Amino acid sequence: MEVRVDPGDWPEAIARASGPQLVVAGPGTGKTEFLVRRALHLIDEERVGPERILLLSFSRRGAADLRTRVTEGLGRSLTRVSAFTFHGLAHRLLEAHDADDRGVPPLLTGPEQVALVHELLASEDPDSWPLPYRGLLTSQTFANEVADFILRCGEQLIDPEALAVRATERADWRRLPAFLGHYQTALEAAHRLDYGSLQTRAVSLLSQPGAAGRVAAEYDYILVDEYQDTTLAQARILELLYREHRNLTAAGDPYQSIYSFRGARLGNIEAFPTAFPDAAGDPARRIVLTTSFRVPAEILDAAVRVTAGGRLPGAAGPVTPAATRGSVETYAFDQQTHEAEWIAATLERIHLREHTPYRRMAVLVRSKNPFLSELSRSLDRRGIPHDPPDARLVDHPAVRVVLDCVTAATHESEAAMRRLLLGPLFRLPLSAMRELRRRRSAEDAGWPDVLRSLEGGGSALAGLLEDPSWAIEMPAADGFWHLWSTLPAFAESVTNDRSRADRIAWSSLAQVLTRLGERDPQATLADYVALSITEDFEATPLLEFHAPSDDRLVLTTLHQAKGLEFDVVVIADAREGVFPDLRARESLLGTRHLTEIPTPPTEYIRFRLQEEMRLAYTAMTRATRRVIWTCTTVGFEDGRGVPSRFLPLVAGADRMEDALSDPVSDPVPATPLEAEAWLRRTIRDPAHPGALRRAALGALVTGGPWRPRAPITYAGVLARGPDTGLIPPDPVLSPSQADAYLDCPRHYVLGRRLHIDVGRSVYQELGNLIHRVLEMVEQQASERGDPHGTLEDALATLTDHWDPVPFGDGPWAAAWRRRAERLLTRLYSAWPGTGRVIRVEHEVTALIGDTTWRGRIDRIEVEERDGATPLVRIVDYKTSGSAPSVAEVAASVQLGFYSMAAATDPEIAALGEVGAAEFWYPGTRAKGITVRTFDPAHLNEVSDLLAAAAAGITGEDWRPRPGPRCDRCPVRSTCPEWPDGREAYCG
């Protein structure tokens, strides 16, 4: 029997609580509210004890919501409301009715289950597995596949015997039944459970004679929310429980069934009336809620169009929309950057102009792909609070400090120690950090030895590092408390109002560690760190690590938004291949063949598309006021984009061209930055009347809110700081550093010391490649005793070490490959050397004044001379297309240093007399190889230049030195010698 219930008929429908009933409800019609009111009616009017009502939901969030709403509706304190997930109920049943002397076996987390499967697979006989899997038995990826297969078997109530029957039709499954039995035996031996076997054991328990009656006797009524998301095992648990009293109410909507990949069965709602008959054997009653309290007609009609008007078995039928007005918009962009910027600007305008809290707005995507990172940057630029993509509790800075303490104590990690000492606990300046590391190196000491001199908890941290038992032996929660109570900086942070967010994160961490201890009392902090690294472990704990009152934009996936409600929903990055996502999800083992998902390819694709439609329907109906779809049709990131096939359905258009609108920028500024930008554009636009332009200029320069911002307020610009503290005591310098410093101290310090240069160019990549090839070829020639290598060897070595990626790949890389071949061919075809190669990449060191200099000579060759000491020639390869003048190289600092250092190097001195130092240029347009030679008469001059460079570097004199290459300088925008550079600093 089906009853359609309008809002005015709710009291009567709620009061008829006995017997099996299915509440079928469209989006926003109040199915959860219906269940809550029925629970309150039973408690207040029927005098049923709260503990006698069992509330079930698909997720922990849903179960917590049910418990909270019933408790608040009762208005009583200390009322126990039994609200669980199906997994929570199963665990409670085993705890109460199936525990042995050791209690209920602890639950394996996902990473722990995969680790057990990996261990068992590694011990398997490869010959017992089908040939394609034999080489994968030790693979982590294959362990993940098998663990997922086992989990789905549990959800579908498939034991080894049932799997063996199915395996008769699939040769690739022939070993899986035996392995499933082996795995279950290992679980029992370890006294552990996984999530699949948890449900299977609950079904087995309830199937025992009299067991279901004993359990059902605890509850007079069962109320189930989100029934469309239940699996076969969960439906079976309900079927066994409800038989004793038949008082079961389940609520769901087949149009919101989007979890087939987790084992949810779409057919459960359709089968409910016959699967749960009343005492007389008649089908369960269907209650259809007719009216949405949330979704206006404009949004609901568009959402229905996305489902292509199809009617799912067991659906509620037409839903009366909410009386409010809404809108649905679709926009196309030419780049993802434009799409992200427009979304951020639009949400900011809605927040400012319509006073909509950010927490009442959401941006939803099909998956956390790179688009969310682009959007997150756009939101950051506007100061819009949100959680970055993939934000996890373990990545919160306050929690990261705890994990770094564990890592430093258990792995002696230099990176973890650096983060600890520079981070919020100790806040060491860089100079102090360098001094500690210098002391460690000079004294050959461990971290505990140098930390004891550190004020503010250094001795306490040293003790934690020396005795890491708190991290590797204590239970995780106890280890956390020991760490907390030992380091004084933690306690000091509690009293700091600025650390409110940190305290919330620490509370969440304490909850997570307590839950870990409940599952595995022996788990330590080190175990937790390992789990958090290998898996997204407890990424979203029940206790959020943000203050509940925080006004934060929701940035998440379409699936994770289910069950939530917003005023404004943006469905972003709606492109074919992204949403709908119809990529093949077939696992290596064909896991979907365990479920009711169709197996023929055509039917499978149709099933996937229909679920993607339901996902779009569910996402759109989260909104009460406005839905915005966006997509990028062309972009550098992913090539040409094709808008989602859903967009014409959303817009109610026949063609894609008619469905998409161009984004229109609001000409009226909404923020101070937009106002300033508008004023500047007005000033520069000659189309505006002169009076308007002068007025805009006056608004900018005469003070008030629109005066020009100081350069210090620009993004990425910091107040000017000290120029010292960059050079450590007793630095070791190189001749290339001397050349760079003498050319321009400012460019040297920014590029070589602070690494803010533009990075390696493709020309540098080519030079490095040629040097690697020559090093290998000439080393082999030296070992053979040959004068030099051969062109054949050089080209073969180039082939072995060629990587096209740094050269742009495709035709660009091919052109650079040809250039490298030409350089090597020219060099070996017109070899300029007359001696035999003795050393390659030879390191030399010299003390000049008080400074140690170190360099690496590309090639050293020896030329025999009749009746005289052999001549030692120093060679440095240069791959540039032009060579400096003879006079410039005659006084080269680099070659001069090599000559001085080689003359004092015993190894080189034993070879002969250093008589020549040369640069070889095979890339010039000269007929032969251009050779430039150093003149020993300039040795004293070079020595003076090296001393001057050392004095300037150690004295940290970074005054710029303008020259002819300034117009090509990559750091000119930060150089105070130029107007554009002076704007980058204040003070």
Side-chain angles (χ1 to χ4, degrees), residues 58 148 151-153 155-156 199 228-235 257-268 591 594-597 607 611:
F58 171 72
D148 182 66
L151 178 61
R152 304 308 160 200
C153 284
E155 292 172 343
Q156 302 300 321
Q199 297 181 83
Q228 77 277 352
D229 294 326
T230 52
T231 65
L232 176 65
Q234 292 164 354
S257 178
I258 56 175
Y259 286 109
S260 66
F261 64 94
R262 291 186 180 176
R265 291 168 61 95
L266 179 61
N268 279 356
T591 305
L594 296 170
T595 68
E596 65 173 6
I597 297 175
F607 175 88
E611 184 164 79

Side-chain angles (χ1 to χ4, degrees), residues 862-871 911-913:
V862 173
E863 180 180 343
E864 300 294 338
R865 297 185 293 186
D866 293 337
T869 303
L871 174 69
L911 300 174
E913 177 187 355

Side-chain angles (χ1 to χ4, degrees), residues 138-182:
T138 58
S139 163
Q140 186 70 29
T141 301
F142 190 62
N144 283 317
E145 289 268 357
V146 175
D148 182 66
F149 188 92
I150 291 172
L151 178 61
R152 304 308 160 200
C153 284
E155 292 172 343
Q156 302 300 321
L157 300 177
I158 299 173
D159 58 16
E161 292 73 23
L163 183 59
V165 174
R166 295 186 178 220
T168 58
E169 300 178 0
R170 290 186 63 101
D172 57 332
W173 286 7
R174 72 166 189 251
R175 179 58 187 170
L176 289 172
F179 183 80
L180 178 58
H182 184 197

Side-chain angles (χ1 to χ4, degrees), residues 872-893:
V872 175
R873 178 180 288 109
I874 293 167
V875 176
D876 196 82
Y877 309 116
K878 300 295 183 182
T879 56
S880 63
S882 60
S885 67
V886 172
E888 287 178 303
V889 177
S892 164
V893 169

Side-chain angles (χ1 to χ4, degrees), residues 428-710:
L428 288 188
L430 275 172
S431 57
M433 180 68 194
R434 292 194 187 101
E435 176 61 21
L436 287 178
R437 296 180 68 177
R438 188 192 67 78
R439 283 186 51 201
R440 280 198 69 206
S441 177
E443 301 171 10
D444 193 22
W447 275 113
D449 299 322
V450 298
L451 287 173
R452 296 194 190 282
S453 62
L454 190 64
E455 297 181 358
S459 295
L461 180 58
L464 291 169
L465 298 181
E466 287 178 326
D467 180 11
S469 59
W470 57 275
I472 60 178
E473 295 178 9
M474 291 183 184
D478 294 342
F480 179 42
W481 172 246
H482 179 79
L483 176 65
W484 180 279
S485 57
T486 300
L487 284 181
F490 280 116
E492 293 169 3
S493 297
V494 173
T495 61
N496 187 345
D497 290 338
R498 292 175 301 175
S499 298
R500 178 168 173 260
D502 292 353
R503 295 197 296 274
I504 295 173
W506 285 325
S507 297
S508 293
L509 177 63
Q511 179 207 31
V512 169
L513 297 179
T514 300
R515 290 171 58 83
L516 177 64
E518 292 170 354
R519 288 193 294 265
D520 183 0
Q522 304 303 316
T524 65
L525 270 178
D527 295 330
Y528 173 69
V529 172
L531 290 172
S532 68
I533 292 173
T534 59
E535 194 75 18
D536 191 8
F537 182 72
E538 290 286 9
T540 52
L542 284 179
L543 178 59
E544 293 293 342
F545 51 97
H546 298 294
S549 59
D550 284 355
D551 187 21
R552 307 177 72 83
L553 177 72
V554 176
L555 199 64
T556 188
T557 64
L558 297 163
H559 283 95
Q560 291 173 337
K562 187 174 183 296
L564 301 178
E565 177 182 304
F566 305 96
D567 292 338
V568 179
V569 167
V570 179
I571 301 175
D573 199 26
R575 295 175 293 132
E576 281 295 305
V578 177
F579 188 38
D581 180 4
L582 301 180
R583 292 172 297 176
R585 286 185 183 169
E586 184 66 89
S587 66
L588 184 63
L589 297 171
T591 305
R592 68 180 171 91
H593 294 275
L594 296 170
T595 68
E596 65 173 6
I597 297 175
T599 55
T602 303
E603 295 181 25
Y604 173 64
I605 292 297
R606 183 183 299 115
F607 175 88
R608 288 283 310 283
L609 179 58
Q610 289 172 347
E611 184 164 79
E612 293 289 292
M613 290 177 170
R614 296 196 296 273
L615 182 58
Y617 174 92
T618 302
M620 293 181 69
T621 56
R622 300 306 93 204
T624 65
R625 199 172 77 220
R626 187 175 179 185
V627 173
I628 303 171
W629 285 69
T630 65
C631 69
T632 296
T633 55
V634 178
F636 292 111
E637 296 86 355
D638 299 315
R640 181 166 295 277
V642 178
S644 169
R645 68 187 72 185
F646 293 159
L647 290 168
L649 298 173
V650 170
D654 295 329
R655 301 184 309 159
M656 184 69 73
E657 293 81 357
D658 300 328
L660 298 175
S661 303
D662 292 327
V664 178
S665 299
D666 192 332
V668 180
T671 67
L673 287 179
E674 289 182 354
E676 181 184 333
W678 179 81
L679 289 170
R680 292 183 185 278
R681 287 196 302 270
T682 301
I683 294 169
R684 297 185 62 181
D685 189 350
H688 288 308
L692 178 62
R693 297 171 67 191
R694 286 192 295 272
L697 179 60
L700 278 173
V701 302
T702 57
W706 311 124
R707 65 182 181 274
R709 291 171 294 155

Side-chain angles (χ1 to χ4, degrees), residues 73 84 136 215 260 326 419 483 488-489 613 675 717 766 807 828 856 884 912:
F84 305 102
L136 303 177
V215 174
S260 66
R419 289 193 297 267
L483 176 65
M613 290 177 170
V717 178
L766 176 69
F807 298 95
Y828 281 99
R856 190 176 293 273

